[in-house]
Amino acid sequence: MLRTALRNIVAHKARLMMTALAVVLGTAFVSGTLIFSDTVGAAYRNAMSKNLKDVAVSVQSASPRNADGDGEEPADGRRDSALTDPLADRIRTLPGVASVRPSLSGDTIVVGKDNQPLGREWGNRGVNYVPDRDGKDSRYPLREGRAPASAGELALDAKSAQRGGYALGDTVRFATDGPALTKKLVGIVGTDDPQVTSGASLALFDTSTAQKLFLHPGQYDELVVTARPGADNQALTEQVRTLLPKDRAVATSGTELASQEARFITESTSSLTKMLLTFAGIALFVGVFIIANTFTMLIAQRSREIALMRAVGASRRQVVRSVLAEAGLLGLASSAVGFALGLGIAVGLRPLLNATGAGFPDGPLVLHPSAVLTALGVGVLVTVLAAWLPSRKAARIAPIEALSTVEAPPAQRGLVIRNTLGAVVTALGVAAMLYVSTQKDSGALTMAMAGGVLTLTGVIILAPLLSRPLVALAGKVTTRLFGVTGKLAKENALRNPRRTAATASALMIGLALITGMTVGGHSVQRATDEMVAKDLKADYKVTSSHFDGIDPQLSKKAARVSGVEAVVPLRQVGLRTTGDGFLSLTGTDLTQLPKVTDVRFEHGSYDAVRGNGIAVSRTKAKELGWKVGDTVEAEFFSGKAKKQKLTITGIYQDNGIVRDALGAASLIDPHKKPFKDDEVLVKAADGASAGLGKEIRDALGNSPLLKVQDRDALRNQDAGAINTMLNMMYGLLGMAVVIAVLGVVNTLAMSVFERTREIGMLRAIGLPRTGIKQMVRLESVVISLFGAVLGIGVGVFLAWAGGSMTANSLPTYEMVLPWGRLALFFGIALVVGVLAAAWPARRAARLNPLESIGAQ
């Protein structure tokens, strides 16, 4: 039977080619993801091992606490640390300690000569340069110049210097927590820090300068202890702990620190790995339809051969094993090719994701045996499982029946059972999604995913039933437009509903997911635009790139700019109410707020929002069951008087600027720690202009930490993020669509082979070659459009039901159909149908009529 399986593969290699390609693409995605995950994890671990080299104990500062458990905020706004030079000196006296290296760091944004920030938006740091006995810092080997030695000097990592266009002697602009500063570039260093190697910028200062920027003189963030040879690191860690001030510092052994970093690496890469494997699973799931379709058709074509094998003594079990062996060999060969393709995917995936700001460190390609075995095993398993039902069908063929007919029509009982099961599964999926449509936050995400899977699965099961009315409707159009060839195309598509459904379902899955994401993304973008247009009356929005707040003094500076009509700072604090209700309370100058946003009160007014009175959004009031006049006890997340009674004095329509609740600045300020503005809205007297935006930025010190955005920039920022996500999803789901196209090609090729005699007869009675081509193309188009109708319809339904979960974060959200994109998807399905039919149609038209009629 093994020889029979090998012979069948060789004999039908052309027919199995499309199936092999489907397995190749699916396993390429799996292997590429696994290799990529191993490579990134190894790069992180390598960088971590270099950073933790010779680290016996790490002593790190802990946030100081007051009696209420709140972190104390220094008067000057800088962090405070218990790690000082005297503490470092005491640690050095411990037996077994070889050295203690004090270090500190803080957020630092460096801009290039074009005044644009270097590196990505997060992870950019400034650190102190700590020379060893030889005068060099082993963590940051110098490549050019020297180490910074005074307050007016700094060094940069090599990549940042290159990106910024800086050379030794240039003046570098940067910011840490305020206006822009400048220092002279005296050195360029290398580093193995994974944050830097993956795209963040690094600035280095001498220790006293770094302390003035980030902490206080004589203070550090970390004391790195190196042990003498033979010392017990765990015992040394315990000795260090006895010297630390209680609740102000923590000591961690190098071994424990490495374990923590390893867990962090696993967590940071697991989400992306799971997402990529999900798309690989979708691709393989789509491939299952093609594989099952192919083997079903091959078995139907080889029914006489199978009958002969049964007649000469082959058992049903042997027939099943023969088909499964054929599938296993096909899966193994395809998986091997897919694994090789996966190597290329793994190589290209890191730079592609880093271009979107992912920030993965550099490192060599890592090839673990587990990735090889998993890729091969998944490919073989999927292929064998997909061929299992066809093999069972082959085993059930009675020898006499198979010798007397080529293919029996599907049993009606099987279709009845299938339709009943499909109706039940679809109903469960739709019910779950209808429940999700009533939810207003992401808490129902698991239910939404389960409901989406059930809905898709149910429609796939019901596809043969749905194919009859939809294909018949399409057939009326093809018949009216193309006459007899259109009618023949319709009849061919309806001849085997299961095959048509399986072929269309593969395309449906990809289009359903793409449509759902497109509709959701387009609706979110429209809601964001509506929020900017309706709720934001200000011309500029000022925010911090680090989300750590804005110095309140900057608002006064912006107000003095000529052409500025109003400057309104907004501050938010979190609070918890009775019954574990959470909301964000926005405080501001209520007399100026109407100039920058339109808060539409349904009950109450601005005048009522004073003292302990607050106004609440309609959605939040409904969620918490509040009405005007209610008194609630709230617990603020910070401040001395944490618990306070608040009165509901107003309810307003949902607003994208003032989201949950609104109060006077005097109510918010005692609970705002540190005391900073979260954002500042600026209203221009004559509208936004390029010159005014620059003047506002200059008045704010032109700090790299601040973003001054007009309304168009805000729209483009949100649109860019959404489009980047959608493009990435399109690329990943495009794999499933490509596999679905291969399925259409495969189905048509098999169909042409099955109908060889029929095509010969059509040619003999006068149908020209062009008519044959047109018939095959129209059949392909009908199948593709059937899949498109199902996919786009299901995708729109899922987007509608799941979109409600954004209501809390985006009150203006409403589903909006992007008709242009949906028309494009239908157009793509039409093109897919035409292109997929090119080779089968050409092959059908070239058949010799007499030879075809005589074919067995």
Side-chain angles (χ1 to χ4, degrees):
M1 300 306 291
L2 180 61
R3 286 198 301 270
T4 301
L6 288 171
R7 183 189 62 78
N8 285 331
I9 290 177
V10 174
H12 303 104
K13 52 182 179 294
R15 302 177 206 172
L16 292 171
M17 181 177 63
M18 298 302 172
T19 302
L21 283 174
V23 180
V24 165
L25 293 175
T27 53
F29 217 153
V30 172
S31 59
T33 299
L34 294 175
I35 296 170
F36 167 77
S37 178
D38 291 338
T39 298
V40 170
Y44 272 122
R45 284 188 291 273
N46 290 339
M48 178 192 69
S49 64
K50 292 179 181 178
N51 285 342
L52 296 179
K53 184 180 179 182
D54 299 329
V55 176
V57 184
S58 172
V59 182
Q60 297 180 343
S61 174
S63 300
R65 300 285 171 180
N66 58 27
D68 293 327
D70 293 323
E72 297 176 359
E73 186 67 27
D76 59 5
R78 286 184 291 172
R79 292 176 287 121
D80 197 10
S81 173
L83 306 185
T84 60
D85 287 315
L87 178 60
D89 292 337
R90 290 197 298 272
I91 293 176
R92 287 189 183 96
T93 63
L94 291 175
V97 173
S99 65
V100 176
R101 185 180 72 235
S103 64
L104 67 151
S105 65
D107 294 334
T108 303
I109 301 291
V110 179
V111 296
K113 290 187 175 181
D114 59 358
N115 207 35
Q116 296 300 312
L118 302 179
R120 55 174 183 249
E121 289 190 359
W122 52 273
N124 304 295
R125 295 186 305 131
V127 302
N128 65 320
Y129 189 92
V130 185
D132 298 329
R133 295 178 181 176
D134 59 357
K136 299 179 180 179
D137 190 332
S138 58
R139 299 173 301 168
Y140 309 111
L142 283 165
R143 294 187 179 179
E144 297 182 46
R146 59 177 178 81
S150 65
E153 299 176 344
L154 87 166
L156 293 175
D157 69 280
K159 286 187 175 181
S160 295
Q162 182 181 15
R163 286 196 299 264
Y166 287 121
L168 294 179
D170 288 344
T171 298
V172 179
R173 293 182 68 252
F174 69 95
T176 57
D177 186 24
L181 304 172
T182 58
K183 294 187 186 298
K184 181 181 179 181
L185 180 64
V186 298
I188 296 176
V189 304
T191 178
D192 293 316
D193 188 328
Q195 293 275 28
V196 180
T197 58
S198 60
S201 63
L202 177 69
L204 300 98
F205 313 94
D206 67 282
T207 297
S208 61
T209 300
Q211 288 172 335
K212 292 176 183 178
L213 290 172
F214 307 124
L215 295 171
H216 293 92
Q219 294 183 353
Y220 305 95
D221 285 323
E222 183 182 21
L223 302 176
V224 178
V225 180
T226 303
R228 297 181 183 276
D232 185 340
N233 290 352
Q234 193 59 44
L236 185 59
T237 302
E238 295 299 329
Q239 293 176 0
V240 170
R241 285 173 179 161
T242 62
L243 302 179
L244 302 182
K246 186 178 180 181
D247 298 330
R248 298 291 306 277
V250 292
T252 307
S253 67
T255 303
E256 186 179 353
L257 195 62
S259 177
Q260 293 175 359
E261 291 286 347
R263 287 196 296 270
F264 170 77
I265 291 169
T266 301
E267 292 172 1
S268 63
T269 58
S270 63
S271 297
L272 178 63
T273 300
K274 289 177 182 178
M275 183 189 75
L276 293 175
L277 285 176
T278 297
F279 285 103
I282 293 171
L284 286 170
F285 182 62
V286 172
V288 165
F289 291 93
I290 301 174
I291 298 166
N293 240 3
T294 300
F295 276 94
T296 298
M297 289 184 284
L298 284 176
I299 286 169
Q301 294 167 13
R302 286 161 32 199
S303 56
R304 296 197 176 195
E305 173 188 326
I306 294 171
L308 182 59
M309 293 170 57
R310 292 292 312 282
V312 298
S315 65
R316 290 188 174 185
R317 185 173 298 178
Q318 286 178 311
V319 172
V320 171
R321 284 203 300 260
S322 173
V323 176
L324 294 184
E326 184 178 345
L329 292 172
L330 176 67
L332 182 61
S334 303
S335 300
V337 177
F339 178 80
L341 183 59
L343 291 173
I345 293 176
V347 170
L349 200 53
R350 181 166 49 188
L352 177 64
L353 294 175
N354 279 347
T356 64
F360 294 113
D362 296 330
L365 194 68
V366 175
L367 189 60
H368 283 170
S370 59
V372 182
L373 295 176
T374 301
L376 296 179
V378 166
V380 172
L381 181 63
V382 167
T383 311
V384 170
L385 288 178
W388 183 74
L389 286 177
S391 71
R392 299 276 297 178
K393 181 180 178 181
R396 287 197 300 267
I397 297 175
I400 300 300
E401 292 179 4
L403 287 171
S404 62
T405 186
V406 174
E407 182 179 8
Q412 294 302 315
R413 179 173 175 272
L415 288 176
V416 170
I417 294 174
R418 176 171 179 157
N419 294 337
T420 303
L421 177 62
V424 171
V425 174
T426 304
L428 289 174
V430 170
M433 296 309 297
L434 290 177
Y435 168 78
V436 169
S437 70
T438 65
Q439 306 303 300
K440 302 302 180 183
D441 55 42
S442 59
L445 182 59
T446 302
M447 176 66 76
M449 295 176 65
V453 171
L454 285 173
T455 302
L456 272 173
T457 304
V459 173
I460 290 170
I461 298 173
L462 284 176
L465 178 65
L466 298 174
S467 68
R468 292 189 177 277
L470 293 177
V471 171
L473 180 63
K476 291 183 179 180
V477 177
T478 58
T479 301
R480 181 176 294 274
L481 294 178
F482 301 99
V484 67
T485 56
K487 184 176 182 180
L488 287 172
K490 179 198 73 172
E491 296 299 331
N492 291 333
L494 289 174
R495 181 176 302 184
N496 192 327
R498 289 182 174 181
R499 181 188 303 175
T500 298
T503 305
S505 295
L507 185 60
M508 180 202 75
I509 295 168
L511 284 178
L513 297 175
I514 289 175
T515 299
M517 291 180 179
T518 300
V519 173
H522 183 77
S523 300
V524 168
Q525 182 59 53
R526 181 65 65 86
T528 303
D529 290 345
E530 183 180 346
M531 182 190 72
V532 172
K534 183 180 74 172
D535 296 337
L536 184 64
K537 296 168 63 177
D539 297 296
Y540 297 96
K541 181 178 180 180
V542 182
T543 55
S544 170
S545 59
H546 283 165
F547 306 102
D548 55 359
I550 303 170
D551 185 348
Q553 296 300 318
L554 296 181
S555 299
K556 299 177 181 178
K557 294 181 179 180
R560 292 194 289 267
V561 175
S562 176
V564 170
E565 177 183 338
V567 176
V568 182
L570 302 180
R571 305 181 189 113
Q572 284 94 27
V573 295
L575 53 86
R576 179 189 294 108
T577 64
T578 305
D580 286 334
F582 295 91
L583 69 157
S584 174
L585 179 61
T586 300
T588 187
D589 183 350
L590 297 176
T591 62
Q592 296 293 308
L593 185 63
K595 295 181 179 180
V596 295
T597 184
D598 186 11
V599 178
R600 301 175 180 87
F601 280 88
E602 296 183 346
H603 304 282
S605 65
Y606 279 116
D607 294 337
V609 185
R610 59 167 64 95
N612 286 352
I614 63 171
V616 187
S617 71
R618 177 171 54 190
T619 297
K620 198 52 121 173
K622 183 178 180 181
E623 176 187 330
L624 299 176
W626 291 347
K627 61 183 182 297
V628 172
D630 288 349
T631 299
V632 298
E633 185 174 84
E635 181 181 359
F636 289 83
F637 291 161
S638 61
K640 294 183 179 180
K642 297 181 68 174
K643 290 188 177 180
Q644 194 167 345
K645 289 189 176 181
L646 304 175
T647 302
I648 310 303
T649 60
I651 295 176
Y652 56 87
Q653 295 179 12
D654 292 345
N655 184 285
I657 307 301
V658 185
R659 295 186 182 275
D660 291 347
L662 173 66
S666 57
L667 175 63
I668 301 294
D669 292 351
H671 305 282
K672 189 66 178 174
K673 298 182 67 177
F675 185 71
K676 290 185 177 182
D677 300 328
D678 290 293
E679 58 188 57
V680 176
L681 302 180
V682 180
K683 177 67 175 178
D686 300 320
S689 66
L692 182 58
K694 185 177 184 303
E695 289 181 33
I696 294 173
R697 174 171 282 283
D698 290 340
L700 301 180
N702 200 15
S703 172
L705 294 175
L706 298 179
K707 294 193 292 186
V708 180
Q709 298 170 289
D710 60 18
R711 297 157 68 91
D712 289 337
L714 291 171
R715 287 192 187 96
N716 294 334
Q717 173 181 277
D718 294 327
I722 292 172
N723 288 333
T724 297
M725 180 197 70
L726 285 178
N727 289 336
M728 183 177 176
M729 296 300 105
Y730 287 161
L732 295 173
L733 290 172
M735 183 80 72
V737 176
V738 170
I739 294 175
V741 172
L742 297 177
V744 177
V745 176
N746 212 19
T747 297
L748 291 174
M750 294 290 186
S751 180
V752 168
F753 177 82
E754 289 178 351
R755 303 202 310 266
T756 299
R757 297 181 65 184
E758 176 187 322
I759 293 171
M761 186 65 70
L762 290 172
R763 290 279 287 117
I765 62 176
L767 190 64
R769 293 181 186 271
T770 55
I772 297 295
K773 288 182 179 181
Q774 190 176 78
M775 178 186 69
V776 176
R777 280 197 296 264
L778 289 175
E779 180 183 354
S780 177
V781 168
V782 166
I783 294 174
S784 298
L785 290 180
F786 170 54
V789 169
L790 290 183
I792 294 174
V794 172
V796 169
F797 170 72
L798 296 180
W800 168 79
S804 63
M805 294 188 295
T806 65
N808 274 355
S809 58
L810 199 59
T812 56
Y813 179 89
E814 289 183 3
M815 191 185 81
V816 180
L817 294 179
W819 293 107
R821 292 278 183 97
L822 298 182
L824 177 63
F825 295 158
F826 272 111
I828 290 174
L830 180 64
V831 172
V832 164
V834 173
L835 294 180
W839 176 65
R842 184 168 178 268
R843 181 174 179 271
R846 296 179 63 183
L847 290 175
N848 183 286
L850 295 179
E851 292 179 357
S852 300
I853 292 173
Q856 296 296 321

